[in-house]
Amino acid sequence: MRTQVCIIGGGPSGLLLSQLLHKRGIDTIVLERKTRDYVLARIRAGVLEQGFVNLMREAGVSDRMDRESYVHDGTVMSRNDDHFRIDFTHHTGTPVVVYGQTEVTRDLYDAREAMGGKIIYNTDGVTIHDAKTDAPYVTYTVDGTEFRIDCDYIAGCDGFHGVSRKTIPDNVRTDYEKVYPFGWLGILSETPPVHHELIYANSDNGFALCSMRNANLSRYYVQVPLTDQVEAWSDDRFWTALKSRIPGEFAEQLITGPSIEKSIAPLRSFVTEPMQWGRLFLCGDAAHIVPPTGAKGLNTAASDIHYLYHALVAHYLDGEAEGIDRYSEKALLRIWKAERFSWWMTNLLHQFPDQTDFDRKMQSAELAFLRDNDSAQAVLAENYVGLPY
Ligand code: APR
Ligand code: PHB
């Protein structure tokens, strides 16, 4: 087989890139090691920057998102019972959109299949060959039969555990990583959200986040020690912990119910440099990971896709090389700013095991300054809604 761009990974990054390129007449093949249903069963975050929304519109995949998403003009932040609101739209003129990543991925799969996009599922042993030449190719097997795809370029959209990043030699690549000493225990419950906007809560009992998917589907998180197992967390224990970490006026009105999904995820910051090697380009989680505190996971994948999409269109349609040559440089500039914001929000809102009383006083003072200072709120708002591409 032959294609112009071989995309490894059928998550949001790979699907969005494939859809955008297809609409500009650029041929792609997506290789996904799982099935569509497996990918769609993953529970992920749900806050979209306007930049991501714009890309989905450009890709022609925004109808259901426009119908079913929620526009949020701000968020609540709290320190024990004290809480305040950050008004995104007042400070930046831009809201965020709340729409589950699972739904984003579902819409992208539907669009790909409606346009006859080539997605090959259940691929094993994907291997990238000759990325540093003008004739790269990818091999893989399906049900034991080996296949080869010759291509012009390879987009590594295969997430943190994929093969693309590891194809760049260790002596070429530099990995930057920070692992946080706690995880997030998240649940989905078919209950109305406790508030119409998100609540990021710092408390003496630890961090909590109140989010949502729709009017009767709530998404809640509490920080837990890395040693905790999800089996040790009954629904009652979860609700009790959540109520002890959000302001009392919200805790009193919290409607609890059985969890329909419950899992613990570790938190890490990670970036690999460079994000390209010859004709291989890394996008999304293949190149970087953020702690979910800043809601940047999907939104950092979006800016990678924005840069690579425009670079490939300029190359194929206008014969320009600058976007291709400078992809990694451009993508990393925005990635590191999102990493910084996610790291800052994580340090601001969580209880760290080795924190001293002085450290906790610094956290309280920073939250008090954020509560009382308009400029500080504007800075948080600008980062949360998404810095320019
Ligand atoms: N071959 C083929 N497909 C692979 C391989 C491989 N060797 N390794 C991984 N994949 C697939 C995975 O099954 C997954 O569907 O690549 C896809 C990668 O998708 P994501 O991990 O969702 O990464 P990305 O598309 O960059 O989306 C980033 O997803 O994980 C969240 O928090 C993250 O919101 C962020 C977003
Ligand atoms: C979510 O809705 O899952 C969510 C929202 C905001 C975050 C993280 C997760 O920062």
Side-chain angles (χ1 to χ4, degrees), residues 39-111:
V39 174
L40 291 176
R42 295 177 183 138
I43 301 296
R44 292 285 164 71
V47 172
L48 309 181
E49 295 175 357
Q50 196 58 47
F52 188 94
V53 171
N54 295 342
L55 278 173
M56 290 286 279
R57 295 213 171 104
E58 183 169 358
V61 191
S62 62
D63 289 351
R64 187 163 76 105
M65 179 179 68
D66 288 338
R67 285 197 311 273
E68 299 180 11
S69 64
Y70 293 72
V71 175
H72 281 204
D73 291 308
T75 188
V76 171
M77 298 188 73
S78 65
R79 164 82 186 129
N80 294 328
D81 274 335
D82 181 27
H83 62 90
F84 56 95
R85 182 172 182 267
I86 307 273
D87 190 330
F88 303 142
T89 307
H90 165 70
H91 290 294
T92 71
T94 309
V96 294
V97 166
V98 175
Y99 187 64
Q101 180 177 313
T102 304
E103 305 319 312
V104 166
T105 310
R106 190 191 315 281
D107 294 344
L108 284 165
Y109 267 123
D110 290 346

Side-chain angles (χ1 to χ4, degrees), residues 140-271:
Y140 63 95
T141 64
V142 173
D143 298 335
T145 304
E146 173 143 319
F147 297 88
R148 168 175 169 147
I149 298 176
D150 291 279
C151 51
D152 300 334
Y153 297 99
I154 300 165
C157 302
D158 47 350
F160 187 67
H161 302 290
V163 295
S164 297
R165 183 176 71 254
K166 297 160 191 166
T167 299
I168 302 178
D170 289 346
N171 64 353
V172 171
R173 225 180 58 233
T174 303
D175 292 347
Y176 302 85
E177 183 169 45
K178 178 179 185 60
V179 177
Y180 297 88
F182 39 73
W184 278 18
L185 166 63
I187 74 160
L188 269 178
S189 64
E190 290 172 328
T191 54
V194 70
H195 189 55
H196 67 280
E197 292 179 329
L198 272 59
I199 301 172
Y200 287 88
N202 168 285
S203 82
D204 294 335
N205 299 313
F207 169 81
L209 172 61
C210 303
S211 184
M212 66 208 61
R213 293 291 178 269
N214 61 49
N216 200 44
L217 188 60
S218 295
R219 180 67 165 163
Y220 295 109
Y221 301 92
V222 295
Q223 90 173 75
V224 294
L226 278 176
T227 50
D228 271 18
Q229 301 295 316
V230 67
E231 295 74 19
W233 280 87
S234 68
D235 286 359
D236 286 346
R237 183 184 177 195
F238 179 88
W239 294 122
T240 301
L242 180 66
K243 286 179 181 177
S244 74
R245 301 184 187 195
I246 62 178
E249 71 178 85
F250 295 111
E252 287 160 11
Q253 60 191 350
L254 178 71
I255 297 174
T256 65
S259 59
I260 59 173
E261 194 277 340
K262 193 188 298 183
S263 55
I264 293 178
L267 273 65
R268 86 174 68 236
S269 298
F270 178 89
V271 179

Side-chain angles (χ1 to χ4, degrees), residues 8-14 31-34 39 42 44 101 123 126 157-163 283-286 297-298 301:
I8 304 173
S13 296
L31 302 178
E32 169 51 51
R33 73 175 168 185
K34 299 295 186 180
V39 174
R42 295 177 183 138
R44 292 285 164 71
Q101 180 177 313
T123 55
V126 169
C157 302
D158 47 350
F160 187 67
H161 302 290
V163 295
C283 304
D285 276 17
L298 188 56

